[in-house]
């Protein structure tokens, strides 16, 4: 385990890393009150990271805040799909919900909010999608959990709809479980505070 060094790290915060298609994606603190974080990416070449770049292409224009996307490649439809959570600039209630957007190789489509079976009026955030796009794990403070923030899982129902999320009560505690990550074997990693 080592520090990525000054190519990635700065004197501000770098948080919520995700890896997809040979790139490291993360949120970098900007120090600006109106835009506190920006999405960055750095390609891994050889044994080092290239200079990080701001990911301006992603459809975040409508969002006041957002999380690092979790990606999967839909080979049947030949698109890359990204899941992320965010708060819309137009949302007076500041509700954090989960969205997805698709990339056709040239352009990102508009961000689409997941259905009410996944999103509620509570906090939903930090989604991670399985490599086959059929399992979504995320953090939420919805009622009925074991702690303030718990992990939940939803599955694709065979079509494009998601099943109602289920509390992962075998891993959740009275503490906060957050930042889930599913590896290619669908092993679940997370932190708790």
């Amino acid at each position: 385990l080592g520090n990525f060094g000054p190519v990635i790290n700065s004197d501000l915060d770098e948080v919520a890393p995700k890896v997809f298609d040979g790139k490291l994606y993360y949120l970098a603190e900007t120090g600006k009150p109106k835009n506190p974080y920006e999405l960055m990416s750095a390609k891994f070449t050889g044994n080092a990271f290239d200079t990080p770049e701001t990911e301006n292409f992603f459809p975040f224009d409508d969002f006041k805040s957002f999380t690092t996307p979790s990606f999967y490649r839909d080979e049947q439809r030949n698109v890359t799909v990204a899941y992320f959570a965010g708060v819309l600039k137009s949302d007076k209630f500041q509700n954090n919900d989960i969205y997805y957007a698709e990339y056709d190789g040239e352009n990102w489509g508009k961000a689409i909010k997941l259905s009410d079976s996944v999103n509620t009026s509570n906090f939903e955030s930090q989604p991670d999608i399985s490599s086959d796009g059929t399992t979504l794990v995320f953090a939420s403070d919805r009622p009925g959990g074991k702690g303030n923030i718990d992990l939940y899982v939803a599955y694709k129902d065979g079509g494009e709809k998601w099943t109602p999320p289920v509390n992962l009560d075998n891993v959740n505690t009275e503490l906060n479980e957050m930042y889930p990550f599913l590896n290619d074997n669908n092993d679940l990693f997370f932190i708790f505070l």
Side-chain angles (χ1 to χ4, degrees):
L1 182 65
N3 188 302
F4 284 150
V7 172
I8 301 292
N9 295 319
S10 71
D11 57 345
L12 298 175
D13 289 340
E14 289 79 30
V15 298
K18 301 273 186 180
V19 176
F20 178 74
D21 202 20
K23 278 187 175 181
L24 171 69
Y25 293 86
Y26 61 97
L27 295 179
E29 189 177 20
T30 65
K32 301 173 188 173
K34 287 191 174 183
N35 183 24
Y37 288 92
E38 60 187 353
L39 180 63
M40 304 293 291
S41 71
K43 190 171 183 177
F44 194 72
T45 305
N47 61 353
F49 285 105
D50 292 344
T51 302
E53 298 178 355
T54 302
E55 290 288 356
N56 291 322
F57 68 87
F58 202 73
F60 285 146
D61 290 345
D62 295 335
F63 290 87
K64 182 177 187 175
S65 63
F66 47 84
T67 62
T68 307
S70 176
F71 301 92
Y72 92 95
R73 180 86 181 135
D74 186 332
E75 299 293 345
Q76 289 183 332
R77 297 186 310 124
N78 198 29
V79 295
T80 298
V81 185
Y83 286 82
F84 65 96
V87 176
L88 287 168
K89 291 177 182 174
S90 61
D91 186 354
K92 64 181 178 181
F93 298 109
Q94 303 298 298
N95 192 33
N96 210 71
D97 286 317
I98 297 173
Y99 295 79
Y100 75 95
E102 296 183 346
Y103 181 65
D104 64 8
E106 293 182 19
N107 299 298
W108 279 100
K110 187 165 178 59
I112 299 170
K113 183 177 170 181
L114 291 191
S115 69
D116 290 341
S117 69
V118 174
N119 288 310
T120 67
S121 59
N122 292 80
F123 170 85
E124 281 85 30
S125 191
Q126 305 154 10
D128 198 70
I129 189 76
S130 62
S131 59
D132 65 1
T134 63
T135 304
L136 182 71
V137 181
F138 62 94
S140 178
D141 68 353
R142 63 185 64 200
K146 286 187 168 183
N148 185 36
I149 298 175
D150 281 347
L151 297 182
Y152 289 80
V153 63
Y155 302 96
K156 278 277 178 80
D157 65 1
E160 288 302 308
K161 294 187 179 180
W162 290 99
T163 62
V166 175
N167 184 293
L168 291 175
D169 57 7
N170 58 330
V171 299
N172 289 320
T173 69
E174 67 279 356
L175 300 174
N176 294 323
E177 285 74 31
M178 303 170 70
Y179 297 103
F181 167 72
L182 292 168
N183 69 10
D184 288 342
N185 295 323
N186 280 345
D187 298 318
L188 176 64
F189 298 83
F190 60 95
I191 65 167
F192 62 95
L193 304 169

